[in-house]
Amino acid sequence: MVQPRGKVMDSLREALHLSRMSLTALIMVQGIILMYTVNGDLLDSNMLGASNSSSSEKHAKEYCSMYGICGQREDGKVLNCPYSVPAVKPSKIFSSKIQSLCPTITGNVCCTADQFDVLRQQVQQAVPLLVGCPACLRNFLNLFCELACSPNQSLFVNVTSISQVKKNSTVDGIAYYVTSTYGEELFNSCKEVKFGSANTRAIEFVGGGATNYREWFAFLGRQASHNEPGSPYSMDFITTVPPSSSMDPMNVSVFACGDTSLGCSCGDCPSASICSDSLPPVPHKNGSCSIHLGSAKVKCIDFAMAIVYIVLVSLVFGWGLLCKTENSSKASPRMRPLLHTEEESELHSVNKNEDVTLPVQGDEKVPISTKESTLPFIQCYISKYYRKHGIWVARHPSLVLGISVTVVVLLSLGLLRLEVETRPEKLWVGPGSKAAEEKEFFDTNLSPFYRIEQLILATVPLSKDSPAPSIVTDKNIKLLFEMQKKVDGIRGNYSGSFVSLKDICMKPVGDDCASETVLQYYKMKPELFDEDDGASHAMFCFEHYTSSEPCLSAYQAPVDPSTILGGYTGSNYSQATAFVITYPVNNAVDKTGSENGKALAWENSFIHLAKEELVPMAGSHNLTLAFSAESSIQEELKRESTADIITILISYVVMFAYISVTLGDISPHISPVYVSSKVLLGLSGVLIVLLSVLGSIGLFSVLGVKSTLIIVEVIPFLVLAVGVDNMCILVHALKRQPIELSMEERVGNTLAEVGPSITLSTLSEVLAFAVGSFISMPACRVFSMFAALAVLLDFLLQVTAFVSLMTFDFRRTEENRVDCFPCIRVSSLATELEHGNLGKRQQKPGLLVRYMKALTTRLQPGLEQQVALPRDSYLQGYFNNISEYLRVGPPLYFIVKDYNYSLESDNTNLLCSISQCESNSLLNEISRAALTPKSSYIASPAASWLDDFLVWLSPEAFGCCRKFPNGTYCPPDDQPPCCTSADGTCGISETCQDCTTCFLHSDLIGSRPSTVQFRDKLPWFLSALPSADCAKGGHGAYTNSVDLKGYENGVIQASEFRTYHTPLNKQRDFVNAMKAAREFSARVSDSLKISVYPYSVFYIFFEQYLDIWRTTLINLSVALGAVFIVCLVITSSLWLSAIILLVLAMIVLDIMGLMALLSIQLNAISVVNLVMSIGIAVEFCVHITHAFSVSEGDRAQRSKEALTTMGASVFSGITITKFVGVLVLCFARSEIFEVYYFRMYLALVILGFLHGLIFLPVLLSVCGPPSIKSVLDNDEQNQSRTHPNQHDLGLYKMERESSD
């Protein structure tokens, strides 16, 4: 079963970007790089005047196209002066500063010192994004260094448009000539660079998601509107120059990402030569062999199995035909019928043998069949025991009934300590589960995965054939604001206090909830909706969510449209047909059940609001609304357990009514119906079944074993099936006894006749269920334990209490007393005939030869969430919408244990993925796996706290790790205390002007921090807020990614690297994703010698399916083996035991084949049902084979006799009883009952009937073993010839022992 969040549930859990933290100005990177003139001082007016006098533009070396600042826009962005001036020689200090950032700029320059300071201040925002790949960073910086300060600026920069600002001419547009080679190589060096904290590529931020250099240049060159980030003037990047032009495109040296001097990691540069040996494996394509039969396409394996099946069936029918021909042509003397008339044949049964007398208590003589003397020792002993037992019980029915009921009632008192386990993780996950241990480690050392509350608002197609319209309209967004207002107004009652969403929601940074919704593009404020042009603003943000400041969320993070939209194709977000609204809520390790009390209280109110108000609101706008809370699945499963109580009760009532009818004699020619009916006996039998179940549950409750809902739902059904069969056999056998015998004699003969087969079937069933107690899956283990004890108790009660009740009931009938009212006695003309003629009213069932198909198709493991819930559950629509609309997969964490960060260890380079990391490091391997998502199920590279920490420490990221002169942490210049809200645009403040980088290059060892440096600065990093000046701050994105307990000793006990699975819809997708992640982790762990394991919230619920086939086959094999051994011991016939084993195996295989045809998945419930089917199938087989083995005559006669004596009991006791009961289940409200109980039970009943009452008799008539009596008669004759006196003496001793 699937665990809740598998999505348990997994698909249940929405893949949110935990990594999206407060990257306030990060999205401005394409503008801030260009705005190298921001805050630059205006040039000296005299110089500008001189420049202004020369209006001609000159394109030559050592000339500038732009120099100085002539004004600023209304939004404060400064504008360059469009005047050509000669390049200026910088001072020595200024030249050194330029060289530190732009090593390609030498000699004269076309920028002032103030302009360069602004350039340096702005590019620091791009450095943290690209510093992990030095080649990319260098190429990117060179592009803007050349534009800003190159002495030959006029050769590749041409001012194309001029605007007037306060009577000053300013640059409004330029043409930037760059060679296509430079553009291509620049893009290639940066296209794969990762931005780890957002689980995406850096190009998404610095390039707007460009797919080639032309798109990147177009993104960088667009002119930003007022209050929009970007360049204040347009830039047209041109890669071709007309022959007559004097322009010379910029073409400074470009570094490939695989360059040895500025090499990038394999994660940032998969094409590097060092990474060529570690390319991702090509996904294996399973070759599918197929054969075309006309227009049909059949798989080779299916075609081959069909051929084998046809051959086997032909051999069986050929053998049967051959045997029939031989028997008709020549009859063996030994197999010649002993009686020739039809009447004699009918009377020739197990009860019509020559009788002898055996002394018993007192002076009475009890007839005993001579057949008992010829049975195998064990059967003979069991038969004699049951004869004495039956006589004693019939003489003391009240005592036996009182003792047996008292014992069971005492056991049932254990129900006072009954505890029912409803938590899915405790039902389907064993205590030694690897997934359970990993989850506990993750929750304890890092942080439990957050709770998910979700709404999915979707449009409805206007017609059947038309697609659903777009959800992104002004009307729908306004409706969403109305819904959000109601959600914000929810107040859950927890212990007298009211709980709102803000009290429990996840807040990565600040006080705003990290809700994932399209409303975040409006800062969750309705008033901004009208100010920002309504839905048009949302459509703009879909394309520029990483690069537009107005698109930032209320908690100052970019909002990926793939997490808030659904029903679109590719990246066509504007055509989305659904809004996905997700509220992440803080979670806690729930050990006592109260840690999440506030969240549960709010969730209850949330579900109530959604049902009563939000759904009608959506419907009034012709929209659909699906919703779910974290606690929804568990609550709905509880409701499911009670939803079909009435249906189950009706099923039991129907079976009880039929039992009462089939046990009685509904024939007015024999005795009145109200006398011959056995309603009271049938009710007593049902009560015995109930007492056996209660006794089993009570005993295990005393022992501290928790019960499950599946026990209440399935075990009574199972025990009733087994018990009814035995009841029918006992009652019908008692009816066959001669009326002239006393009641004690008839009861003794009855138990002697059917006792061995009942014992055989019961022991087989008990052992078949007992083996299930060794299963690690708690639900299966507990079910098997309870079922085994319940069947055993039912058997013991049947041979004691039910035999007593049967004695009372038959005496009531003989005394002509009314059923259910035994105090009332009536007269009947036909009373004498009732029992005397019962033996002659045997039905004559024929032998039907029916072709039985054994289907061997592939079963899919899993349990669809929709099946496990009531049909009217609100989660049905939610799960359907999840599959239809969701475009992201569940979060996937790779957990690293005991990471040794000391400088002496190489663990750091074996984990990281920036420059100088190992090519086969963990993060590089994850990046490579993400290149083949169809086989790896990994959607993107991992967000790496380690990479970001190393970049944050790097001196190149000079705006990140900084310190005050006193050695304390100094935040970036755009954060308090360096910048306050009153400062407006933040520059270098007096408070932080003396801050320096934490380390110089010389302080690091091989660009890596020492052990002490790592230990001291890690807490700084995890508490550092990300911002425009440093996007690599770890607060929010990595707050819970590192366990700092005991890290001072150089080892981090637990840390996680976060990525995402691909979208998972089907159960097999979840299973395959988990399997692929575990195989990947095992391979990496072996390679790196570091403990790594994967974790996702749904793993704990889907782990059972990794070896569900192994569990199934082991349990079925052991159960079948146990039945075989019991049959072999009791019957002493290998031949007969093998036939029983064969038929049982055929029934199980046929059920599994029908499971595939009926779309029944293989899971814990179906495994329980398969094991149970063996127990019930035993009832179809054992009694028939036992009757066959003790009958006389040829095989055909013995098969007919077996059906005559036992077939009716089996047919009425199991087949019809279960059939009428199962039919009621098709009306169940829960699909799980309809699928796993109605379909499987109906298949079991039908297949059991066809195999046990049709196939098995035919098989026995063809190749059944010889009669036990015939074999033993021959042995006795041989023995009597040699030792006649010893034989007679042995028989005499056996009879004396039995009488004693």
Side-chain angles (χ1 to χ4, degrees):
M1 174 181 177
V2 309
Q3 66 52 141
R5 293 312 170 225
K7 150 161 261 256
V8 164
M9 298 167 29
D10 26 88
S11 61
L12 287 183
R13 294 196 184 270
E14 197 45 42
L16 300 176
H17 284 293
L18 276 177
S19 59
R20 287 196 296 270
M21 63 291 187
S22 178
L23 306 179
T24 307
L26 170 63
I27 56 171
M28 301 173 59
V29 66
Q30 82 284 7
I32 54 183
I33 297 300
L34 302 176
M35 292 292 296
Y36 60 88
T37 57
V38 176
N39 291 332
D41 294 331
L42 295 177
L43 294 178
D44 183 87
S45 59
N46 293 332
M47 182 177 181
L48 290 177
S51 300
N52 194 29
S53 62
S54 178
S55 59
S56 60
E57 188 172 350
K58 185 175 182 180
H59 298 286
K61 290 184 177 182
E62 299 294 328
Y63 264 82
C64 307
S65 294
M66 303 178 295
Y67 196 86
I69 301 172
C70 290
Q72 63 181 15
R73 300 195 316 180
E74 293 179 357
D75 58 0
K77 294 180 179 179
V78 297
L79 301 169
N80 288 346
C81 299
Y83 306 127
S84 295
V85 295
V88 178
K89 183 177 181 180
S91 65
K92 187 174 182 180
I93 296 177
F94 183 26
S95 179
S96 301
K97 292 175 64 177
I98 292 177
Q99 286 288 306
S100 65
L101 183 66
C102 307
T104 60
I105 307 298
T106 58
N108 297 335
V109 296
C110 285
C111 60
T112 66
D114 291 333
Q115 289 175 330
F116 179 80
D117 287 340
V118 173
L119 171 64
R120 180 182 176 88
Q121 180 182 352
Q122 299 304 326
V123 297
Q124 74 179 25
Q125 300 172 27
V127 169
L129 298 173
L130 305 175
V131 71
C133 182
C136 169
L137 177 62
R138 173 49 49 209
N139 296 334
F140 188 77
L141 292 178
N142 285 347
L143 179 68
F144 296 102
C145 284
E146 293 294 323
L147 173 63
C149 297
S150 173
N152 302 320
Q153 185 188 70
S154 63
L155 289 178
F156 46 80
V157 176
N158 184 30
V159 177
T160 58
S161 178
I162 297 176
S163 63
Q164 296 294 321
V165 177
K166 295 182 180 181
K167 298 182 180 181
N168 290 328
S169 296
T170 60
V171 175
D172 190 55
I174 65 171
Y176 189 2
Y177 291 85
V178 181
T179 63
S180 59
T181 301
Y182 186 90
E184 188 73 39
E185 293 300 323
L186 168 65
F187 179 78
N188 289 338
S189 66
C190 295
K191 63 182 181 181
E192 298 295 342
V193 176
K194 302 184 302 297
F195 181 52
S197 59
N199 283 101
T200 187
R201 299 177 303 161
I203 198 72
E204 299 290 338
F205 292 88
V206 300
T211 58
N212 54 62
Y213 80 91
R214 296 184 185 278
E215 293 180 5
W216 193 5
F217 282 168
F219 173 80
L220 295 175
R222 66 181 182 176
Q223 185 176 15
S225 301
H226 283 70
N227 297 315
E228 288 284 340
S231 172
Y233 50 81
S234 64
M235 293 191 302
D236 184 15
F237 286 85
I238 302 175
T239 57
T240 59
V241 180
S244 59
S245 175
S246 59
M247 304 300 291
D248 183 15
M250 192 275 292
N251 191 27
V252 296
S253 299
V254 62
F255 298 90
C257 64
D259 187 275
T260 55
S261 59
L262 295 174
C264 304
S265 69
C266 292
D268 293 331
C269 184
S271 61
S273 58
I274 192 175
C275 308
S276 59
D277 296 334
S278 306
L279 291 178
V282 178
H284 175 67
K285 296 182 179 180
N286 294 324
S288 180
C289 173
S290 60
I291 298 175
H292 292 273
L293 299 177
S295 59
K297 185 178 181 180
V298 183
K299 292 183 178 180
C300 293
I301 185 171
D302 296 335
F303 182 77
M305 293 183 70
I307 295 297
V308 172
Y309 177 73
I310 292 173
V311 171
L312 291 177
V313 171
S314 301
L315 290 175
V316 171
F317 275 93
W319 184 21
L321 183 62
L322 179 61
C323 292
K324 183 177 180 179
T325 303
E326 291 179 352
N327 290 336
S328 61
S329 61
K330 181 179 179 180
S332 172
R334 177 179 176 179
M335 301 304 294
R336 184 177 296 116
L338 300 178
L339 299 175
H340 302 284
T341 65
E342 180 179 349
E343 181 179 0
E344 290 173 334
S345 178
E346 291 178 359
L347 295 175
H348 188 75
S349 66
V350 292
N351 303 299
K352 305 298 180 180
N353 298 296
E354 182 183 356
D355 292 336
V356 296
T357 57
L358 177 68
V360 291
Q361 298 176 7
D363 298 330
E364 300 181 24
K365 304 290 184 178
V366 179
I368 178 171
S369 172
T370 57
K371 185 180 296 184
E372 289 184 17
S373 302
T374 61
L375 292 175
F377 172 77
I378 295 179
Q379 288 195 54
C380 182
Y381 178 81
I382 294 175
S383 181
K384 291 180 181 298
Y385 167 79
Y386 273 119
R387 181 179 297 279
K388 293 196 298 183
H389 172 76
I391 294 173
W392 193 86
V393 170
R395 285 176 176 171
H396 310 90
S398 300
L399 177 63
V400 173
L401 182 62
I403 294 176
S404 57
V405 171
T406 300
V407 171
V408 178
V409 169
L410 290 176
L411 291 177
S412 301
L413 293 178
L415 292 172
L416 298 176
R417 299 183 60 182
L418 174 66
E419 293 184 46
V420 179
E421 184 62 81
T422 59
R423 291 175 294 178
E425 64 272 17
K426 297 296 183 181
L427 289 175
W428 312 114
V429 183
S433 165
K434 181 180 179 182
E437 295 175 356
E438 293 170 348
K439 180 181 185 300
E440 183 179 2
F441 182 86
F442 182 90
D443 292 347
T444 304
N445 293 277
L446 298 171
S447 177
F449 191 74
Y450 43 84
R451 305 173 70 88
I452 294 295
E453 334 295 344
Q454 201 164 62
L455 301 171
I456 300 179
L457 187 67
T459 57
V460 179
L462 300 179
S463 64
K464 184 177 181 181
D465 299 326
S466 64
S470 173
I471 191 77
V472 189
T473 64
D474 289 350
K475 180 181 177 181
N476 293 334
I477 295 179
K478 288 181 179 179
L479 173 64
L480 197 56
F481 269 115
E482 295 177 17
M483 291 183 172
Q484 184 61 45
K485 183 177 180 180
K486 291 183 176 295
V487 172
D488 290 336
I490 293 176
R491 296 295 183 270
N493 190 342
Y494 176 69
S495 300
S497 61
F498 293 103
V499 181
S500 67
L501 179 60
K502 280 214 166 188
D503 297 328
I504 58 175
C505 69
M506 187 180 71
K507 303 172 184 176
V509 178
D511 295 327
D512 292 294
C513 295
S515 304
E516 293 290 301
T517 170
V518 71
L519 302 183
Q520 290 287 8
Y521 293 141
Y522 308 96
K523 306 293 189 291
M524 305 296 290
K525 298 178 180 178
E527 59 270 18
L528 292 182
F529 177 75
D530 295 324
E531 296 178 10
D532 293 337
D533 299 327
S536 299
H537 176 68
M539 293 186 182
F540 171 81
C541 291
F542 295 159
E543 304 298 330
H544 308 98
Y545 71 96
T546 61
S547 58
S548 177
E549 185 176 12
C551 296
L552 283 175
S553 65
Y555 58 99
Q556 295 300 301
V559 179
D560 189 343
S562 65
T563 65
I564 60 173
L565 299 175
Y568 59 89
T569 57
S571 58
N572 193 9
Y573 301 122
S574 62
Q575 296 303 312
T577 59
F579 286 142
V580 181
I581 304 96
T582 306
Y583 304 104
V585 171
N586 292 321
N587 202 356
V589 180
D590 200 359
K591 294 183 178 179
T592 64
S594 60
E595 284 82 354
N596 291 307
K598 290 185 177 180
L600 288 171
W602 187 90
E603 287 169 1
N604 291 335
S605 300
F606 172 73
I607 294 300
H608 179 77
L609 174 71
K611 289 180 178 179
E612 302 298 327
E613 298 186 39
L614 300 187
V615 170
M617 286 177 64
S620 64
H621 289 74
N622 197 29
L623 301 174
T624 63
L625 181 72
F627 57 94
S628 172
E630 180 74 16
S631 57
S632 290
I633 291 181
Q634 188 165 345
E635 294 301 320
E636 286 298 285
L637 287 176
K638 289 181 181 178
R639 187 171 74 87
E640 183 269 340
S641 65
T642 59
D644 290 303
I645 289 180
I646 301 299
T647 305
I648 296 173
L649 290 178
I650 293 175
S651 175
Y652 288 151
V653 169
V654 171
M655 287 189 291
F656 160 68
Y658 175 77
I659 292 168
S660 302
V661 172
T662 192
L663 290 181
D665 297 305
I666 310 301
S667 176
H669 300 291
I670 298 179
S671 61
V673 173
Y674 48 81
V675 173
S676 62
S677 67
K678 300 192 180 298
V679 175
L680 188 59
L681 183 61
L683 176 61
S684 302
V686 174
L687 291 177
I688 286 176
V689 170
L690 178 62
L691 286 175
S692 64
V693 175
L694 294 179
S696 175
I697 297 175
L699 178 59
F700 281 112
S701 297
V702 171
L703 298 177
V705 181
K706 289 186 177 181
S707 181
T708 64
L709 294 176
I710 196 173
I711 290 174
V712 179
E713 296 164 351
V714 179
I715 290 185
F717 224 74
L718 165 67
V719 180
L720 193 61
V722 175
V724 168
D725 185 40
N726 291 342
M727 286 189 290
C728 289
I729 291 173
L730 287 169
V731 172
H732 292 169
L734 184 55
K735 289 179 181 180
R736 289 194 298 267
Q737 302 304 317
I739 192 66
E740 60 271 11
L741 298 178
S742 66
M743 180 59 66
E744 290 82 359
E745 294 170 344
R746 281 182 280 161
V747 172
N749 285 345
T750 296
L751 287 181
E753 175 187 340
V754 301
S757 64
I758 291 178
T759 304
L760 174 60
S761 62
T762 300
L763 289 179
S764 299
E765 291 155 3
V766 170
L767 283 180
F769 291 124
V771 297
S773 62
F774 299 100
I775 306 175
S776 60
M777 191 182 300
C780 294
R781 182 177 66 252
V782 172
F783 167 82
S784 300
M785 294 165 55
F786 280 66
L789 182 58
V791 171
L792 180 60
L793 289 177
D794 182 59
F795 164 73
L796 295 176
L797 288 175
Q798 283 177 338
V799 297
T800 54
F802 186 75
V803 171
S804 301
L805 292 170
M806 192 169 60
T807 302
F808 284 131
D809 189 77
F810 272 75
R811 286 175 176 171
R812 172 196 62 78
T813 304
E814 292 175 356
E815 295 174 3
N816 217 34
R817 297 181 182 274
V818 178
D819 191 16
C820 297
F821 301 97
C823 295
I824 302 176
R825 186 170 186 173
V826 297
S827 61
S828 174
L829 298 177
T831 302
E832 302 84 11
L833 301 177
E834 179 180 3
H835 291 283
N837 296 331
L838 284 179
K840 297 183 180 180
R841 292 187 295 107
Q842 302 282 343
Q843 293 186 3
K844 304 175 183 179
L847 297 177
L848 304 179
V849 180
R850 183 74 55 89
Y851 178 73
M852 291 299 296
K853 231 182 202 185
L855 298 173
T856 54
T857 55
R858 299 176 182 85
L859 284 175
Q860 292 293 339
L863 175 60
E864 297 293 343
Q865 293 95 331
Q866 294 93 325
V867 175
L869 299 168
R871 285 192 176 96
D872 60 349
S873 172
Y874 61 86
L875 290 179
Q876 294 286 355
Y878 172 74
F879 285 124
N880 292 333
N881 285 3
I882 284 289
S883 300
E884 181 177 358
Y885 297 122
L886 219 60
R887 296 296 185 268
V888 290
L892 169 62
Y893 302 87
F894 287 97
I895 313 302
V896 177
K897 292 183 178 180
D898 300 327
Y899 159 43
N900 188 341
Y901 63 79
S902 64
L903 190 62
E904 295 76 16
S905 172
D906 61 348
N907 282 9
T908 297
N909 288 336
L910 290 175
L911 296 177
C912 65
S913 63
I914 59 174
S915 180
Q916 300 185 19
C917 297
E918 297 293 338
S919 62
N920 65 334
S921 67
L922 171 63
L923 291 165
N924 281 332
E925 290 294 332
I926 295 174
S927 298
R928 274 191 285 270
L931 298 178
T932 56
K934 289 186 178 180
S935 59
S936 67
Y937 292 89
I938 297 176
S940 62
S944 169
W945 69 268
L946 181 57
D947 284 356
D948 286 355
F949 174 52
L950 295 177
V951 169
W952 184 83
L953 279 175
S954 173
E956 282 86 356
F958 41 81
C960 292
C961 185
R962 307 197 307 170
K963 60 183 178 181
F964 286 109
N966 62 3
T968 59
Y969 173 65
C970 176
D973 287 327
D974 58 352
Q975 296 182 20
C978 302
C979 176
T980 62
S981 57
D983 291 338
T985 302
C986 298
I988 300 177
S989 65
E990 294 182 0
T991 304
C992 301
Q993 64 181 356
D994 295 329
C995 290
T996 60
T997 57
C998 293
F999 307 109
L1000 301 176
H1001 283 287
S1002 58
D1003 296 329
L1004 304 177
I1005 303 174
S1007 299
R1008 294 288 184 263
S1010 66
T1011 305
V1012 175
Q1013 292 168 342
F1014 195 110
R1015 180 181 62 230
D1016 293 344
K1017 297 303 180 287
L1018 181 58
W1020 285 17
F1021 166 73
L1022 295 177
S1023 61
L1025 292 172
S1027 63
D1029 282 356
C1030 181
K1032 291 294 184 178
H1035 185 72
Y1038 303 120
T1039 302
N1040 297 317
S1041 295
V1042 184
D1043 181 14
L1044 294 181
K1045 295 193 295 287
Y1047 88 106
E1048 296 86 357
N1049 60 6
V1051 176
I1052 296 176
Q1053 295 181 4
S1055 63
E1056 52 93 350
F1057 300 94
R1058 180 184 60 258
T1059 181
Y1060 295 89
H1061 278 300
T1062 54
L1064 309 174
N1065 295 321
K1066 298 296 183 180
Q1067 297 286 291
R1068 62 175 176 270
D1069 295 336
F1070 287 93
V1071 177
N1072 292 337
M1074 180 181 183
K1075 184 177 180 180
R1078 285 192 167 182
E1079 290 176 350
F1080 171 84
S1081 297
R1083 176 171 58 84
V1084 171
S1085 296
D1086 292 340
S1087 173
L1088 304 181
K1089 308 304 179 185
I1090 297 177
S1091 178
V1092 180
Y1093 75 85
Y1095 171 74
S1096 191
V1097 288
F1098 67 87
Y1099 283 4
I1100 191 171
F1101 304 107
F1102 284 84
E1103 185 185 40
Q1104 57 176 303
Y1105 302 124
L1106 292 181
D1107 58 353
I1108 190 69
W1109 271 107
R1110 177 176 173 271
T1111 300
T1112 302
L1113 295 177
I1114 289 178
N1115 280 275
L1116 293 180
S1117 300
V1118 175
L1120 289 173
V1123 172
F1124 176 78
I1125 292 174
V1126 171
C1127 293
L1128 182 62
V1129 171
I1130 293 181
T1131 65
S1132 301
S1133 173
L1134 180 62
W1135 193 338
L1136 197 65
S1137 302
I1139 289 178
I1140 294 175
L1141 180 64
L1142 173 64
V1143 176
L1144 291 179
M1146 290 178 64
I1147 292 175
V1148 173
L1149 288 176
D1150 284 355
I1151 291 176
M1152 296 176 73
L1154 283 177
M1155 285 173 60
L1157 292 180
L1158 299 176
S1159 301
I1160 302 175
Q1161 293 175 307
L1162 189 64
N1163 50 53
I1165 298 177
S1166 53
V1167 170
V1168 168
N1169 286 341
L1170 286 173
V1171 174
M1172 183 192 71
S1173 68
I1174 295 178
I1176 295 181
V1178 166
E1179 296 288 334
F1180 283 102
C1181 303
V1182 167
H1183 302 300
I1184 300 295
T1185 54
H1186 179 265
F1188 177 84
S1189 67
V1190 298
S1191 300
E1192 300 177 28
D1194 60 19
R1195 290 191 177 103
Q1197 289 176 327
R1198 292 162 59 206
S1199 295
K1200 185 175 181 179
E1201 183 176 344
L1203 276 181
T1204 302
T1205 55
M1206 287 295 180
S1209 300
V1210 173
F1211 181 75
S1212 59
I1214 292 187
T1215 307
I1216 302 299
T1217 305
K1218 299 306 293 178
F1219 185 77
V1220 297
V1222 165
L1223 285 181
V1224 180
L1225 293 181
C1226 70
F1227 302 103
R1229 295 170 57 191
S1230 301
E1231 193 171 358
I1232 193 171
F1233 274 92
E1234 193 272 331
V1235 173
Y1236 288 95
Y1237 298 133
F1238 170 68
R1239 295 184 190 178
M1240 288 196 72
Y1241 285 8
L1242 184 62
L1244 171 60
V1245 171
I1246 294 175
L1247 291 175
F1249 166 73
L1250 294 177
H1251 285 77
L1253 297 181
I1254 297 178
F1255 174 77
L1256 178 59
V1258 173
L1259 181 64
L1260 291 173
S1261 67
V1262 173
C1263 59
S1267 172
I1268 293 178
K1269 179 174 176 56
S1270 301
V1271 173
L1272 295 180
D1273 282 348
N1274 292 336
D1275 293 341
E1276 290 172 0
Q1277 291 175 6
N1278 295 333
Q1279 186 177 7
S1280 62
R1281 292 191 186 99
T1282 55
H1283 306 287
N1285 295 332
Q1286 292 182 8
H1287 171 70
D1288 295 339
L1289 180 61
L1291 181 59
Y1292 172 75
K1293 287 182 177 181
M1294 183 178 296
E1295 293 178 354
R1296 289 296 303 271
E1297 289 173 358
S1298 64
S1299 62
D1300 294 338

